[in-house]
Amino acid sequence: MRLFFSVILGLGLLSVLPAAAQYSRFIIRLKNKNGTSYSLGSPGGFLSAKAVARRNTFSIPVDSTDLPVVKAYLDSIRLVPNVTILNSSKWLNQVCVRTSDSAALSKISSFSFVKNTSPIAARLAQPLVVPLKTAAGKFEFYSQLPSSPDFATAHPNRVAGTTDFYSYGTNAGQVHIHEGEYLHNLGFHGEGITIAMLDAGYLNYLSNPAFDSIRLQNQILGTHDYVAVETSVNEDHYHGSMCLSTIAANEPGQMVGTAPKAKFWLLRTEDANSEYPVEEQNWVAAAEFADSAGADIITSSLGYSDFDDPAFSLSYAQRDGKTSIISIGANLAVKKGMLVTNSAGNSGADGGDAKYVLCPADADGVLSIGATDVSGTIASFSSVGPNGAGQLKPNVVSVGRNAVVANVYTGVPNYSNGTSFSNPNLCGLIACLWQAFPDFSNRDIKDAVQKSANRAAAPDNLYGYGIPNMRLAYQDLLQRRVIKNYQQVIGSGYIKAFPVPFSSSFSVLLKAPVTGNASLRLVDMNGKTVELKTVAVQQDNMYTISFSTTRVIARGLYTLQYADGKNSISIRVLKH
């Protein structure tokens, strides 16, 4: 039966139409985008200015997956009686509909532009008395706890009396474990970064005191509910509000999130009352919106493996980062230039295949985040990475055991467990890091975060690369920026003199082609040495060597001769 899921959803083969009696939501896969009214040459017609700028900055091509689903196809489906369009995916070129009419499905299947139809969810479930599942595949979330380790005990090396830009209060430990205050103290608090949150609802975000700041400063750009197909998300599940608080809360001395000045899209994709792949489709539709709207980061504390109907469940083999709808969509989101962070899952203590990371945390492009306590010890519930060869998962870890989150009614800090909270906690700091280095791509930022982690030299399938350090990541990117600027000056070569012409001095930029000793000799037109420098170099490292003519030399042409025992080159420089 698990292979059946792979066939109907992964390969999209035609399902048996009488399933309409059991299912009420279906995927309609389309053959093409023929007749679209949009043009790849005019992306401003379907992407925001910010999204277009990101494509241009990082040389990301606009391709057919960016084109919206053809309006004429949607209109034809919409006109079929007893059919409601819930959402569509331009990346996957498919439409999600609700219907219980097998004749309607037959009609849709007869359209020349339709490839096939497949069931994706049963009839809508009734609301639960307690709207929360604690199964691993639902929210990466555990019940609230009464206490948390003392910050000073957990971090004895913290300098007493250190003054930071923010007075973090109870969540100081989960910021400091990453040296997140380093970024905040430099002036990076998330300004200019847009984060799209995908979750099950954001109960009371319009009234919760923890979000006073982002409401007053108009940092919430908008909301949408892909489950109920409406705008409001304030009355839905509380899980998203708890996750949001780890990033956006701004109550000095009580709780300050990791990126309290970022802007947010609050998108509901998860139905807390049931578990079906329609929620994966909702996630992809929301991710596409986030991309089109110019969001920089998608963060999601959701994960999928087991569904209410076992026919849809994802086996361990199918959690390979490229099979499930949601993982395909997550990788496409990364391809479009966004950074995607996701909870690893809460099934690390389970037996068998259940302990491994969920979808979309399995996706290669996703930064999947496991959970530790504030002292850096792995949480027993944190899902583990793939068994044997393959990609490393989780990528990194953050505080998810005894994590500080705001009460969804009062805003008062509480303590909860789950990779649901380790994910947004680190996501906010990554937003601040990207704010500091907007000239770097999503992949550059992800790489710097991983390399900064405390187990980067020997990663494993529990911690991944370990606990990222924002100070080290910042310094790494700073050095990369210097090198990148140098490389732009050098171009395709390995040595360049500037400025040329020069008056009294010039410098030589060298990207060492070998390791060893290199000589740089400045000679005049008669072959007489004016100045000689010898430097020890390592291959591919960048060096700046200054030539300052302290004595007066005549105007005219000079030759700079470079040699390292293997390479030699002469460069003409003019003194005016």
Side-chain angles (χ1 to χ4, degrees), residues 305-361:
S305 61
D306 295 328
F307 293 103
D308 291 350
D309 184 340
F312 294 112
S313 292
L314 292 159
S315 68
Y316 169 66
Q318 291 169 316
R319 302 202 303 275
D320 59 359
K322 57 185 178 182
T323 296
S324 69
I325 289 176
I326 195 169
S327 297
I328 293 171
N331 279 328
L332 281 167
V334 173
K335 181 180 178 182
K336 304 302 180 183
M338 291 181 291
L339 197 152
V340 180
T341 74
N342 206 94
S343 301
N346 283 350
S347 17
D350 295 349
D353 292 346
K355 67 182 178 182
Y356 297 110
V357 297
L358 306 176
C359 302

Short mmCIF file of all heavy atoms in Angstrom, two decimals, residues 305-361:
data_model
loop_
_atom_site.label_atom_id
_atom_site.label_comp_id
_atom_site.label_asym_id
_atom_site.label_seq_id
_atom_site.Cartn_x
_atom_site.Cartn_y
_atom_site.Cartn_z
N SER A 305 5.06 11.67 7.62
CA SER A 305 5.47 10.31 7.27
C SER A 305 4.25 9.39 7.29
O SER A 305 3.94 8.73 6.31
CB SER A 305 6.55 9.80 8.21
OG SER A 305 6.09 9.75 9.54
N ASP A 306 3.53 9.35 8.43
CA ASP A 306 2.36 8.49 8.57
C ASP A 306 1.08 9.30 8.43
O ASP A 306 0.93 10.36 9.05
CB ASP A 306 2.37 7.80 9.93
CG ASP A 306 3.54 6.85 10.09
OD1 ASP A 306 3.96 6.27 9.06
OD2 ASP A 306 4.03 6.70 11.22
N PHE A 307 0.16 8.78 7.61
CA PHE A 307 -1.12 9.46 7.38
C PHE A 307 -2.27 8.64 7.95
O PHE A 307 -2.13 7.44 8.22
CB PHE A 307 -1.31 9.72 5.89
CG PHE A 307 -0.33 10.73 5.33
CD1 PHE A 307 0.76 10.31 4.57
CD2 PHE A 307 -0.48 12.08 5.57
CE1 PHE A 307 1.67 11.22 4.06
CE2 PHE A 307 0.43 13.01 5.07
CZ PHE A 307 1.51 12.57 4.32
N ASP A 308 -3.40 9.31 8.13
CA ASP A 308 -4.57 8.63 8.68
C ASP A 308 -5.00 7.45 7.82
O ASP A 308 -5.50 6.45 8.34
CB ASP A 308 -5.73 9.63 8.81
CG ASP A 308 -5.48 10.67 9.89
OD1 ASP A 308 -4.51 10.50 10.65
OD2 ASP A 308 -6.24 11.64 9.97
N ASP A 309 -4.83 7.58 6.51
CA ASP A 309 -5.04 6.45 5.61
C ASP A 309 -3.65 5.89 5.27
O ASP A 309 -2.86 6.55 4.59
CB ASP A 309 -5.75 6.91 4.34
CG ASP A 309 -6.08 5.75 3.40
OD1 ASP A 309 -5.45 4.68 3.54
OD2 ASP A 309 -6.95 5.93 2.53
N PRO A 310 -3.32 4.68 5.75
CA PRO A 310 -1.98 4.12 5.52
C PRO A 310 -1.59 4.02 4.06
O PRO A 310 -0.40 3.91 3.74
CB PRO A 310 -2.06 2.73 6.18
CG PRO A 310 -3.16 2.84 7.18
CD PRO A 310 -4.17 3.79 6.58
N ALA A 311 -2.58 4.05 3.16
CA ALA A 311 -2.27 3.97 1.73
C ALA A 311 -1.38 5.14 1.29
O ALA A 311 -0.65 5.02 0.31
CB ALA A 311 -3.56 3.97 0.92
N PHE A 312 -1.46 6.24 2.01
CA PHE A 312 -0.69 7.43 1.65
C PHE A 312 0.65 7.52 2.39
O PHE A 312 1.47 8.38 2.06
CB PHE A 312 -1.49 8.69 1.96
CG PHE A 312 -2.73 8.86 1.15
CD1 PHE A 312 -3.98 8.76 1.74
CD2 PHE A 312 -2.66 9.11 -0.21
CE1 PHE A 312 -5.13 8.92 1.01
CE2 PHE A 312 -3.81 9.27 -0.96
CZ PHE A 312 -5.05 9.17 -0.36
N SER A 313 0.88 6.70 3.41
CA SER A 313 2.04 6.87 4.28
C SER A 313 3.35 6.73 3.52
O SER A 313 3.46 5.98 2.54
CB SER A 313 1.98 5.87 5.43
OG SER A 313 0.92 6.18 6.30
N LEU A 314 4.35 7.45 4.01
CA LEU A 314 5.67 7.48 3.37
C LEU A 314 6.60 6.51 4.09
O LEU A 314 6.88 6.67 5.27
CB LEU A 314 6.24 8.89 3.43
CG LEU A 314 5.52 9.94 2.59
CD1 LEU A 314 5.82 11.34 3.10
CD2 LEU A 314 5.90 9.81 1.14
N SER A 315 7.08 5.52 3.38
CA SER A 315 8.03 4.58 3.96
C SER A 315 9.38 5.25 4.14
O SER A 315 9.63 6.36 3.65
CB SER A 315 8.18 3.36 3.04
OG SER A 315 8.84 3.75 1.83
N TYR A 316 10.27 4.57 4.83
CA TYR A 316 11.63 5.11 5.01
C TYR A 316 12.28 5.35 3.65
O TYR A 316 12.93 6.38 3.43
CB TYR A 316 12.45 4.12 5.84
CG TYR A 316 13.93 4.43 5.87
CD1 TYR A 316 14.40 5.59 6.48
CD2 TYR A 316 14.85 3.57 5.29
CE1 TYR A 316 15.76 5.88 6.51
CE2 TYR A 316 16.21 3.85 5.33
CZ TYR A 316 16.66 5.00 5.93
OH TYR A 316 17.99 5.29 5.97
N ALA A 317 12.11 4.41 2.71
CA ALA A 317 12.71 4.55 1.38
C ALA A 317 12.16 5.76 0.64
O ALA A 317 12.86 6.36 -0.18
CB ALA A 317 12.47 3.28 0.56
N GLN A 318 10.92 6.13 0.93
CA GLN A 318 10.31 7.27 0.25
C GLN A 318 10.67 8.60 0.91
O GLN A 318 10.45 9.65 0.33
CB GLN A 318 8.79 7.10 0.22
CG GLN A 318 8.34 5.97 -0.69
CD GLN A 318 6.88 5.65 -0.50
OE1 GLN A 318 6.38 5.57 0.63
NE2 GLN A 318 6.17 5.45 -1.60
N ARG A 319 11.24 8.54 2.11
CA ARG A 319 11.70 9.77 2.77
C ARG A 319 13.16 10.01 2.37
O ARG A 319 14.07 10.08 3.18
CB ARG A 319 11.53 9.65 4.29
CG ARG A 319 10.09 9.39 4.70
CD ARG A 319 9.78 9.78 6.13
NE ARG A 319 10.60 9.15 7.16
CZ ARG A 319 10.37 7.95 7.68
NH1 ARG A 319 9.35 7.22 7.25
NH2 ARG A 319 11.14 7.48 8.65
N ASP A 320 13.35 10.13 1.06
CA ASP A 320 14.68 10.23 0.48
C ASP A 320 15.01 11.63 -0.01
O ASP A 320 16.02 11.85 -0.69
CB ASP A 320 14.82 9.25 -0.69
CG ASP A 320 13.79 9.50 -1.79
OD1 ASP A 320 12.95 10.43 -1.64
OD2 ASP A 320 13.81 8.77 -2.79
N GLY A 321 14.16 12.61 0.31
CA GLY A 321 14.42 13.98 -0.08
C GLY A 321 13.98 14.37 -1.47
O GLY A 321 14.15 15.52 -1.87
N LYS A 322 13.36 13.45 -2.20
CA LYS A 322 12.98 13.77 -3.58
C LYS A 322 11.70 13.09 -4.06
O LYS A 322 11.36 13.18 -5.24
CB LYS A 322 14.13 13.38 -4.52
CG LYS A 322 14.54 11.91 -4.44
CD LYS A 322 15.76 11.64 -5.31
CE LYS A 322 16.19 10.17 -5.19
NZ LYS A 322 17.41 9.90 -5.99
N THR A 323 11.00 12.40 -3.14
CA THR A 323 9.81 11.66 -3.56
C THR A 323 8.51 12.34 -3.14
O THR A 323 7.59 12.47 -3.95
CB THR A 323 9.85 10.23 -2.99
OG1 THR A 323 10.97 9.54 -3.56
CG2 THR A 323 8.57 9.47 -3.32
N SER A 324 8.40 12.76 -1.90
CA SER A 324 7.13 13.32 -1.42
C SER A 324 6.86 14.68 -2.07
O SER A 324 7.78 15.40 -2.48
CB SER A 324 7.17 13.48 0.10
OG SER A 324 8.08 14.50 0.48
N ILE A 325 5.59 15.03 -2.14
CA ILE A 325 5.18 16.32 -2.71
C ILE A 325 5.88 17.46 -1.98
O ILE A 325 6.42 18.38 -2.60
CB ILE A 325 3.65 16.48 -2.60
CG1 ILE A 325 2.94 15.56 -3.57
CG2 ILE A 325 3.25 17.94 -2.88
CD1 ILE A 325 1.42 15.60 -3.45
N ILE A 326 5.89 17.39 -0.66
CA ILE A 326 6.40 18.51 0.13
C ILE A 326 7.92 18.65 -0.01
O ILE A 326 8.45 19.76 -0.04
CB ILE A 326 5.99 18.36 1.61
CG1 ILE A 326 6.18 19.67 2.38
CG2 ILE A 326 6.69 17.20 2.27
CD1 ILE A 326 5.56 19.66 3.76
N SER A 327 8.62 17.54 -0.13
CA SER A 327 10.08 17.60 -0.28
C SER A 327 10.47 18.10 -1.65
O SER A 327 11.44 18.85 -1.80
CB SER A 327 10.70 16.23 0.01
OG SER A 327 10.46 15.85 1.35
N ILE A 328 9.73 17.70 -2.67
CA ILE A 328 9.97 18.24 -4.01
C ILE A 328 9.76 19.75 -4.00
O ILE A 328 10.56 20.52 -4.53
CB ILE A 328 9.03 17.57 -5.03
CG1 ILE A 328 9.39 16.08 -5.20
CG2 ILE A 328 9.11 18.28 -6.38
CD1 ILE A 328 8.37 15.30 -6.02
N GLY A 329 8.67 20.18 -3.35
CA GLY A 329 8.39 21.61 -3.28
C GLY A 329 9.44 22.37 -2.50
O GLY A 329 9.83 23.48 -2.87
N ALA A 330 9.92 21.78 -1.41
CA ALA A 330 10.94 22.45 -0.60
C ALA A 330 12.23 22.63 -1.38
O ALA A 330 12.88 23.69 -1.30
CB ALA A 330 11.19 21.64 0.67
N ASN A 331 12.62 21.61 -2.13
CA ASN A 331 13.83 21.74 -2.95
C ASN A 331 13.66 22.80 -4.03
O ASN A 331 14.60 23.54 -4.36
CB ASN A 331 14.19 20.40 -3.57
CG ASN A 331 14.94 19.49 -2.62
OD1 ASN A 331 15.70 19.95 -1.77
ND2 ASN A 331 14.74 18.19 -2.75
N LEU A 332 12.47 22.90 -4.59
CA LEU A 332 12.22 23.95 -5.58
C LEU A 332 12.27 25.33 -4.94
O LEU A 332 12.76 26.28 -5.56
CB LEU A 332 10.86 23.72 -6.26
CG LEU A 332 10.86 22.64 -7.35
CD1 LEU A 332 9.43 22.26 -7.72
CD2 LEU A 332 11.61 23.12 -8.58
N ALA A 333 11.78 25.45 -3.71
CA ALA A 333 11.85 26.73 -3.01
C ALA A 333 13.30 27.17 -2.85
O ALA A 333 13.64 28.35 -3.02
CB ALA A 333 11.16 26.63 -1.65
N VAL A 334 14.17 26.22 -2.53
CA VAL A 334 15.60 26.54 -2.40
C VAL A 334 16.17 26.90 -3.75
O VAL A 334 16.97 27.84 -3.88
CB VAL A 334 16.34 25.33 -1.78
CG1 VAL A 334 17.85 25.57 -1.80
CG2 VAL A 334 15.86 25.08 -0.36
N LYS A 335 15.78 26.20 -4.78
CA LYS A 335 16.24 26.49 -6.14
C LYS A 335 15.87 27.91 -6.55
O LYS A 335 16.61 28.57 -7.30
CB LYS A 335 15.65 25.48 -7.12
CG LYS A 335 16.09 25.67 -8.56
CD LYS A 335 15.44 24.63 -9.47
CE LYS A 335 15.84 24.85 -10.93
NZ LYS A 335 15.18 23.87 -11.83
N LYS A 336 14.73 28.41 -6.06
CA LYS A 336 14.29 29.76 -6.39
C LYS A 336 15.02 30.82 -5.57
O LYS A 336 14.77 32.01 -5.74
CB LYS A 336 12.79 29.90 -6.14
CG LYS A 336 11.93 28.90 -6.90
CD LYS A 336 12.12 28.96 -8.41
CE LYS A 336 11.23 27.94 -9.12
NZ LYS A 336 11.46 27.94 -10.58
N GLY A 337 15.91 30.41 -4.66
CA GLY A 337 16.74 31.36 -3.94
C GLY A 337 16.35 31.59 -2.50
O GLY A 337 17.02 32.35 -1.79
N MET A 338 15.27 30.96 -2.03
CA MET A 338 14.88 31.11 -0.63
C MET A 338 15.66 30.13 0.24
O MET A 338 16.11 29.08 -0.23
CB MET A 338 13.38 30.88 -0.46
CG MET A 338 12.51 31.98 -1.07
SD MET A 338 10.75 31.69 -0.82
CE MET A 338 10.48 30.26 -1.88
N LEU A 339 15.80 30.46 1.50
CA LEU A 339 16.39 29.54 2.47
C LEU A 339 15.24 28.88 3.22
O LEU A 339 14.34 29.57 3.70
CB LEU A 339 17.32 30.29 3.42
CG LEU A 339 18.32 29.46 4.22
CD1 LEU A 339 19.54 30.30 4.54
CD2 LEU A 339 17.71 28.93 5.50
N VAL A 340 15.25 27.56 3.31
CA VAL A 340 14.17 26.82 3.96
C VAL A 340 14.72 26.11 5.19
O VAL A 340 15.67 25.33 5.09
CB VAL A 340 13.54 25.78 3.01
CG1 VAL A 340 12.40 25.03 3.71
CG2 VAL A 340 13.02 26.46 1.74
N THR A 341 14.14 26.42 6.35
CA THR A 341 14.49 25.71 7.58
C THR A 341 13.28 24.89 8.03
O THR A 341 12.14 25.34 7.89
CB THR A 341 14.92 26.66 8.71
OG1 THR A 341 13.77 27.33 9.24
CG2 THR A 341 15.93 27.68 8.22
N ASN A 342 13.54 23.70 8.57
CA ASN A 342 12.43 22.83 8.97
C ASN A 342 12.82 21.96 10.16
O ASN A 342 13.97 21.52 10.28
CB ASN A 342 12.01 21.91 7.81
CG ASN A 342 10.57 21.47 7.91
OD1 ASN A 342 9.70 22.11 7.31
ND2 ASN A 342 10.29 20.40 8.64
N SER A 343 11.86 21.72 11.04
CA SER A 343 12.07 20.82 12.16
C SER A 343 12.41 19.42 11.66
O SER A 343 11.85 18.94 10.68
CB SER A 343 10.81 20.73 13.02
OG SER A 343 10.45 22.00 13.51
N ALA A 344 13.34 18.76 12.36
CA ALA A 344 13.74 17.41 11.96
C ALA A 344 12.66 16.39 12.31
O ALA A 344 12.45 15.42 11.57
CB ALA A 344 15.05 17.03 12.63
N GLY A 345 11.96 16.58 13.42
CA GLY A 345 10.95 15.63 13.87
C GLY A 345 11.20 15.23 15.31
O GLY A 345 12.28 15.46 15.86
N ASN A 346 10.20 14.61 15.91
CA ASN A 346 10.24 14.26 17.33
C ASN A 346 10.19 12.77 17.58
O ASN A 346 9.67 12.33 18.59
CB ASN A 346 9.06 14.90 18.07
CG ASN A 346 9.29 16.37 18.33
OD1 ASN A 346 10.38 16.87 18.12
ND2 ASN A 346 8.26 17.06 18.75
N SER A 347 10.69 11.96 16.65
CA SER A 347 10.56 10.53 16.80
C SER A 347 11.87 9.81 17.04
O SER A 347 11.97 8.61 16.80
CB SER A 347 9.86 9.93 15.59
OG SER A 347 9.86 10.75 14.49
N GLY A 348 12.88 10.52 17.52
CA GLY A 348 14.19 9.91 17.72
C GLY A 348 14.18 8.75 18.70
O GLY A 348 15.02 7.86 18.62
N ALA A 349 13.24 8.77 19.64
CA ALA A 349 13.18 7.70 20.64
C ALA A 349 12.33 6.52 20.17
O ALA A 349 12.23 5.51 20.87
CB ALA A 349 12.62 8.24 21.96
N ASP A 350 11.72 6.63 19.00
CA ASP A 350 10.88 5.56 18.48
C ASP A 350 11.75 4.45 17.88
O ASP A 350 12.93 4.65 17.57
CB ASP A 350 9.92 6.09 17.42
CG ASP A 350 8.91 7.07 18.01
OD1 ASP A 350 8.85 7.16 19.25
OD2 ASP A 350 8.20 7.72 17.23
N GLY A 351 11.16 3.32 17.66
CA GLY A 351 11.89 2.20 17.08
C GLY A 351 11.74 2.15 15.57
O GLY A 351 10.89 2.83 14.97
N GLY A 352 12.57 1.32 14.94
CA GLY A 352 12.46 1.09 13.51
C GLY A 352 12.67 2.34 12.68
O GLY A 352 13.39 3.26 13.06
N ASP A 353 11.97 2.38 11.53
CA ASP A 353 12.13 3.49 10.60
C ASP A 353 11.49 4.78 11.09
O ASP A 353 11.74 5.85 10.55
CB ASP A 353 11.52 3.12 9.25
CG ASP A 353 12.30 2.02 8.54
OD1 ASP A 353 13.44 1.75 8.98
OD2 ASP A 353 11.77 1.45 7.57
N ALA A 354 10.64 4.69 12.13
CA ALA A 354 9.93 5.87 12.61
C ALA A 354 10.87 6.93 13.17
O ALA A 354 10.52 8.11 13.22
CB ALA A 354 8.91 5.48 13.67
N LYS A 355 12.07 6.55 13.59
CA LYS A 355 12.98 7.48 14.25
C LYS A 355 13.65 8.47 13.30
O LYS A 355 14.27 9.44 13.75
CB LYS A 355 14.05 6.72 15.02
CG LYS A 355 15.02 5.94 14.15
CD LYS A 355 16.03 5.17 15.00
CE LYS A 355 16.97 4.35 14.14
NZ LYS A 355 17.91 3.57 14.96
N TYR A 356 13.54 8.24 12.00
CA TYR A 356 14.26 9.07 11.05
C TYR A 356 13.51 10.35 10.72
O TYR A 356 12.30 10.44 10.90
CB TYR A 356 14.55 8.28 9.77
CG TYR A 356 15.44 7.09 10.01
CD1 TYR A 356 14.93 5.79 9.92
CD2 TYR A 356 16.77 7.26 10.37
CE1 TYR A 356 15.74 4.69 10.16
CE2 TYR A 356 17.59 6.17 10.61
CZ TYR A 356 17.07 4.89 10.51
OH TYR A 356 17.88 3.82 10.77
N VAL A 357 14.25 11.33 10.22
CA VAL A 357 13.67 12.65 9.93
C VAL A 357 12.48 12.53 8.99
O VAL A 357 12.40 11.63 8.16
CB VAL A 357 14.72 13.61 9.34
CG1 VAL A 357 15.85 13.89 10.32
CG2 VAL A 357 15.27 13.09 8.02
N LEU A 358 11.56 13.47 9.14
CA LEU A 358 10.33 13.48 8.38
C LEU A 358 10.49 14.34 7.12
O LEU A 358 11.49 15.00 6.91
CB LEU A 358 9.20 14.04 9.26
CG LEU A 358 9.02 13.34 10.61
CD1 LEU A 358 7.94 14.04 11.42
CD2 LEU A 358 8.68 11.87 10.41
N CYS A 359 9.46 14.33 6.29
CA CYS A 359 9.42 15.20 5.11
C CYS A 359 8.77 16.53 5.51
O CYS A 359 7.77 16.53 6.22
CB CYS A 359 8.59 14.55 4.00
SG CYS A 359 9.19 12.93 3.49
N PRO A 360 9.32 17.68 5.12
CA PRO A 360 10.38 17.88 4.13
C PRO A 360 11.78 18.02 4.72
O PRO A 360 12.69 18.47 4.01
CB PRO A 360 9.95 19.20 3.49
CG PRO A 360 9.41 19.99 4.65
CD PRO A 360 8.69 18.98 5.50
N ALA A 361 11.98 17.66 5.98
CA ALA A 361 13.32 17.76 6.56
C ALA A 361 14.31 16.86 5.83
O ALA A 361 15.52 17.04 5.94
CB ALA A 361 13.28 17.41 8.05
#
